Amino acid sequence: MKVIAYAARTAGGALQPYEYESGPLGPNEVDVRVTHGGICHTDLAAIDDEWGLARFPAVAGHEVVGEVVAIGAAVDEAALPIGQRVGVGALAGSCFRCESCISGRTNLCPRRDALVLRGDRGGFAHHVRASDWRHVYPIPDSMPSEHAAPLMCAGTTVFSPLIANRVLPTHRVAVVGIGGLGHLALQFLNKWGCEVTAISTTKNKQADAERFGATGFIASREPGALRAAAGSFDFVLSTVSGDLPWDDYLGILSPQGRLCVAGVPERPISVSALGLVSEAKEIVGGIVGTVAETRQMLDFAARHAIRPEVEMFALADFDQALDRVRKGNVRYRAVVDFT
């Protein structure tokens, strides 16, 4: 199959049409015709080469929704029939043989297929290939495709930490950052049953945060605001990509509380050892969910009508969409219509 994709040929460059041959379909592989694609900050990191890992021409994109158009010989056709509406996310495959996969932790597989790191074969294209059909997710009928796309990365990234960190409905939880990830985290936590507080730099997004389910709000740049919340939260989920005053955020945790970092700060995280060990607090990483967790996330979102708030863009406006995401102007997830 000849695939038409949209690639940056230099770091930060405008997207241009790019064609490649997909090659023979492997036994476990699935080809999906893309109808909708979300834009994540990680896509910009690949296009702009923020981490020094990009390969050009770079085809980013890892929040894909579309239709199955071809399946490999070993694919369960009953599970993924031709024409099935599906999602493909940040991880499009894993080996299913290593210790991590066998124990269900497919998101930790050392040979996982990270769509955004593929180089020239990501999801900003009219077709994308998943390397294993078990990482291709049927989309619930009640969920529009433009809403399903951001759930394939942003949704599973904020849902998985709830399971991995055993967050309970009785917990008091704070979400740092009310953006593409944060606005979904507030919705999930509200329906999870938690008392949830939104933390943003100013009060500009307070009304939105409350609309998404927050029952409390902290404007972190207000003098003494974080100090006043000392010891308040069992779990804090940071969704921002910027650097934070990490000791202040350790301070708002209750004893044995956890700070989960789902965003990627620019600089190393530095905290006072005393603030960490004196009350047995923890800092953990948050990543996209396993196959099982991603399926659970889609079911949970469908059951509770959890939806990302999206801005839609036509293909002709792709670069405009990327620029709005770069500037942090999107409320709250940009989605491109490939049809």
Side-chain angles (χ1 to χ4, degrees):
M1 180 192 301
K2 179 177 288 185
V3 176
I4 300 174
Y6 300 91
R9 297 183 182 274
T10 59
L15 298 190
Q16 301 174 30
Y18 169 75
E19 294 185 6
Y20 66 88
E21 291 289 340
S22 60
L25 193 66
N28 286 309
E29 293 181 336
V30 178
D31 279 338
V32 175
R33 181 178 65 83
V34 179
T35 62
H36 296 80
I39 300 176
C40 177
H41 181 80
T42 307
D43 296 317
L44 290 177
I47 291 170
D48 298 343
D49 199 17
E50 288 183 11
W51 303 331
L53 301 174
R55 292 176 291 165
F56 295 97
V59 179
H62 60 284
E63 292 184 340
V64 172
V65 168
E67 295 180 357
V68 174
V69 293
I71 59 175
V75 175
D76 183 347
E77 189 173 0
L80 284 181
I82 301 299
Q84 172 74 54
R85 190 168 62 113
V86 296
V88 181
L91 301 182
S94 56
C95 76
F96 287 95
R97 298 187 303 273
C98 67
E99 181 180 352
S100 291
C101 285
I102 290 171
S103 62
R105 297 169 295 165
T106 48
N107 53 349
L108 299 179
C109 175
R111 291 180 288 278
R112 60 191 179 271
D113 178 10
L115 206 58
V116 76
L117 299 179
R118 280 183 174 182
D120 64 352
R121 300 198 175 196
F124 288 167
H126 288 281
H127 292 83
V128 70
R129 176 169 291 178
S131 59
D132 194 289
W133 64 275
R134 287 161 287 193
H135 286 263
V136 179
Y137 304 95
I139 300 300
D141 291 340
S142 63
M143 189 178 293
S145 295
E146 63 269 25
H147 291 155
L151 295 180
M152 301 315 303
C153 175
T156 188
T157 297
V158 297
F159 183 85
S160 177
L162 309 189
I163 298 173
N165 294 285
R166 300 180 293 280
V167 174
L168 301 175
T170 54
H171 280 163
R172 296 163 300 164
V173 179
V175 175
V176 186
I178 316 306
L181 273 68
H183 90 290
L184 283 169
L186 292 175
Q187 294 181 66
F188 280 122
L189 285 160
N190 176 271
K191 298 302 183 182
W192 204 258
C194 298
E195 179 185 306
V196 56
T197 295
I199 302 179
S200 190
T201 54
T202 70
K203 291 184 177 180
N204 289 346
K205 295 183 179 178
Q206 181 170 357
D208 280 354
E210 292 171 352
R211 180 164 55 88
F212 295 133
T215 54
F217 189 90
I218 296 173
S220 60
R221 285 183 182 168
E222 290 187 354
L226 289 174
R227 196 175 306 113
S232 296
F233 302 106
D234 303 290
F235 184 69
V236 174
L237 177 63
S238 173
T239 68
V240 300
S241 56
D243 298 305
L244 296 176
W246 298 106
D247 281 322
D248 292 343
Y249 282 92
L250 275 185
I252 67 175
L253 288 172
S254 58
Q256 294 186 307
R258 284 186 178 180
L259 169 61
C260 180
V261 180
V264 182
E266 295 178 3
R267 294 193 290 268
I269 295 173
S270 177
V271 298
S272 164
L274 185 60
L276 191 67
V277 304
S278 61
E279 293 184 322
K281 298 176 181 179
E282 299 179 54
I283 300 175
V284 298
I287 59 172
V288 296
T290 66
V291 166
E293 289 166 355
T294 301
R295 291 181 183 273
Q296 290 169 351
M297 179 274 301
L298 287 169
D299 288 344
F300 191 84
R303 185 187 314 161
H304 294 285
I306 293 170
R307 301 288 185 269
E309 192 162 293
V310 301
E311 291 185 21
M312 294 298 300
F313 294 85
L315 268 175
D317 300 322
F318 215 142
D319 283 309
Q320 176 189 339
L322 290 171
D323 193 51
R324 281 182 59 77
V325 175
R326 277 191 187 94
K327 294 176 179 177
N329 292 335
V330 172
R331 296 291 184 273
Y332 278 88
R333 206 64 166 180
V335 176
V336 177
D337 187 338
F338 284 80
T339 58

